[in-house]
Amino acid sequence: AQKITQTQPGMFVQEKEAVTLDCTYDTSDPSYGLFWYKQPSSGEMIFLIYQGSYDQQNATEGRYSLNFQKARKSANLVISASQLGDSAMYFCAMRERNTDKLIFGTGTRLQVFP
Amino acid sequence: EAGVAQSPRYKIIEKRQSVAFWCNPISGHATLYWYQQILGQGPKLLIQFQNNGVVDDSQLPKDRFSAERLKGVDSTLKIQPAKLEDSAVYLCASSDSEKETQYFGPGTRLLVL
């Protein structure tokens, strides 16, 4: 069964520093997609970045990059130059080829301090 | 482009009462999802619509939850009767069937007393 594991319940980072949020996944499907979402205290889920299982290069979107290591089944999110507004919950999610359903991890709460 | 709209944003009810949530997806998005997010957990899919047909409702507690998407646009999710364990954030999302990404609305926070 597919599963997403986020082992860091909380992370702290100083403003302007980089931070890595861990995500490992389990699936038997060779074709899948991996997503990261940000959820501020206001509640909405904001899409950050996507990585397809067959993508040759790691995905990047502005200050966000995804460190995709397929053999290790990990898809860590790297946020560069952290900002105070990055403080939020971050969720990793996976979707297998034949479904649209997203399976989410339990999230990591990131706090950025001055 | 307007995002996914949801209402109400907050709702407090007593157990055994009924409640309904409304969602308006991004214009042109054929696929609509309802997720339940219990405090401290990631969202869990309740039901998925493709246009006005149900694709997946395997995790919907059908004895008390119902959902519809008439005309393939707006959707409503209803709980009748509510239980204490239904306290959660209910998130609606939509996606263009040709793309990968689901876009979420602001959610409805439900508290059942």
Side-chain angles (χ1 to χ4, degrees), chain A residues 30-44:
Chain A
S31 178
Y32 50 88
L34 296 158
F35 301 79
W36 277 92
Y37 285 86
K38 171 185 178 182
Q39 188 175 43
S41 56
S42 53
E44 75 270 32

Side-chain angles (χ1 to χ4, degrees), chain A residues 33 35 37 39-47 50 91 95 99-107, chain B residues 9 31 33 35 37 40-43 45 48 50 56 59 91 99-106 109:
Chain A
F35 301 79
Y37 285 86
Q39 188 175 43
S41 56
S42 53
E44 75 270 32
M45 298 283 282
I46 302 167
F47 166 71
Y50 166 78
F91 289 93
R95 189 176 81 181
T99 77
D100 284 332
K101 181 167 66 177
L102 289 178
I103 303 297
F104 286 85
T106 52
Chain B
R9 292 297 312 276
T31 312
Y33 315 79
Y35 287 85
Q37 185 179 19
Q41 299 180 18
L45 180 71
Q48 176 190 343
Q50 180 74 18
D56 182 355
Q59 303 221 63
L91 294 160
K99 296 180 182 175
E100 301 268 340
T101 302
Q102 296 180 23
Y103 295 95
F104 285 78
R109 292 177 187 265

Side-chain angles (χ1 to χ4, degrees), chain A residues 57-107:
Chain A
Q57 297 197 337
N58 288 343
T60 61
E61 288 286 348
R63 295 186 298 110
Y64 305 107
S65 61
L66 203 151
N67 183 2
F68 181 46
Q69 298 188 40
K70 196 170 182 176
R72 298 179 63 182
K73 293 190 174 181
S74 73
N76 299 338
L77 176 70
V78 181
I79 305 174
S80 62
S82 297
Q83 301 172 357
L84 296 177
D86 293 335
S87 294
M89 284 291 291
Y90 288 80
F91 289 93
C92 180
M94 177 174 65
R95 189 176 81 181
E96 290 182 338
R97 172 180 48 188
N98 292 326
T99 77
D100 284 332
K101 181 167 66 177
L102 289 178
I103 303 297
F104 286 85
T106 52

Side-chain angles (χ1 to χ4, degrees), chain B residues 32-46:
Chain B
L32 185 148
Y33 315 79
W34 283 102
Y35 287 85
Q36 179 193 57
Q37 185 179 19
I38 293 171
L39 187 65
Q41 299 180 18
K44 181 186 78 172
L45 180 71
L46 291 175

